[in-house]
Amino acid sequence: DTGVSQDPRHKITKRGQNVTFRCDPISEHNRLYWYRQTLGQGPEFLTYFQNEAQLEKSRLLSDRFSAERPKGSFSTLEIQRTEQGDSAMYLCASSLEAGSSYEQYFGPGTRLTVT
Amino acid sequence: AQTVTQSQPEMSVQEAETVTLSCTYDTSESDYYLFWYKQPPSRQMILVIRQEAYKQQNATENRFSVNFQKAAKSFSLKISDSQLGDAAMYFCAYRSAKSGGSNYKLTFGKGTLLTVNP
């Protein structure tokens, strides 16, 4: 068990460019979540997957954002036509919902800076 | 919609002393989970302690304990014998115990930055 990993850890991009982030959850976890954290705020929920199915999306997730989890393993979050307001830390978490286990375990995050 | 409020943006404590971080929440649900997460500078968020709303007994994990007051919708974190490594941003979070939809998401407060003075 190596924990949740995210790649890249930092991304600097110019406004209007597309970016893609990857998250690898803890291997046996069936749920995967994406959150966004801006400076001075707590994380805010974006979307989550159960296995490969995307079951819920926040209204924060505009149509420029898309997330996938092919084969129920790793997930990608793509932002198209980035805007300066997209600058934030993007956090991935995973959980195994079984019995008394429901905690979400977080990755180190990808810090996006849009210039 | 549930909300979580942390009214202390910053707190400080002397090493080896005890500190209490406050958290209140608003919900119409009767069954839910509450969490405290720790986020050290430039490091990932880790779970400190969790509490199930149906349990009356307050959770404890080594030097960390909570005071869960369901009627008051209050969930404070007490850190005993504070250590330099406890310095971090602490987030209180809520999750519904219901199944389906957006019930699995965590709702976070804005956090409390804890400084530990040697």
Side-chain angles (χ1 to χ4, degrees), chain A residues 48-86:
Chain A
Y48 93 92
F49 293 82
Q50 177 152 333
N51 300 314
E52 66 275 10
Q54 187 175 17
L55 297 184
E56 186 70 18
K57 292 195 289 186
S58 161
R59 57 183 169 80
L60 293 176
L61 212 66
S62 77
D63 55 7
R64 295 185 298 106
F65 288 70
S66 63
E68 294 182 342
R69 193 184 181 196
K71 303 178 183 178
S73 56
F74 71 92
S75 175
T76 58
L77 178 68
E78 181 184 16
I79 309 175
Q80 296 182 328
R81 304 180 303 281
T82 52
E83 302 173 355
Q84 287 189 323
D86 297 331

Side-chain angles (χ1 to χ4, degrees), chain A residues 48 97 102-104 106, chain B residues 37 44 50 52 95 104:
Chain A
Y48 93 92
E97 304 273 334
Y102 50 82
E103 298 93 337
Q104 293 183 25
F106 283 81
Chain B
Y37 279 89
Q44 67 198 78
R50 71 177 197 185
E52 291 90 347
R95 204 208 92 165
Y104 301 121

Side-chain angles (χ1 to χ4, degrees), chain A residues 31 33 35 37 40-43 45 48 56 91 97 100 102-104 106-108, chain B residues 33 35 37 39 42 44-45 47 50 52 91 95 101-102 104-106 108-110:
Chain A
R31 292 211 178 110
Y33 311 80
Y35 293 84
Q37 185 178 20
Q41 303 293 321
F45 170 77
Y48 93 92
E56 186 70 18
L91 298 170
E97 304 273 334
S100 63
Y102 50 82
E103 298 93 337
Q104 293 183 25
F106 283 81
Chain B
Y33 309 114
F35 307 87
Y37 279 89
Q39 188 176 42
S42 300
Q44 67 198 78
M45 195 163 336
L47 179 65
R50 71 177 197 185
E52 291 90 347
F91 291 98
R95 204 208 92 165
S102 63
Y104 301 121
K105 70 176 184 182
L106 293 173
F108 287 86
K110 291 188 175 183

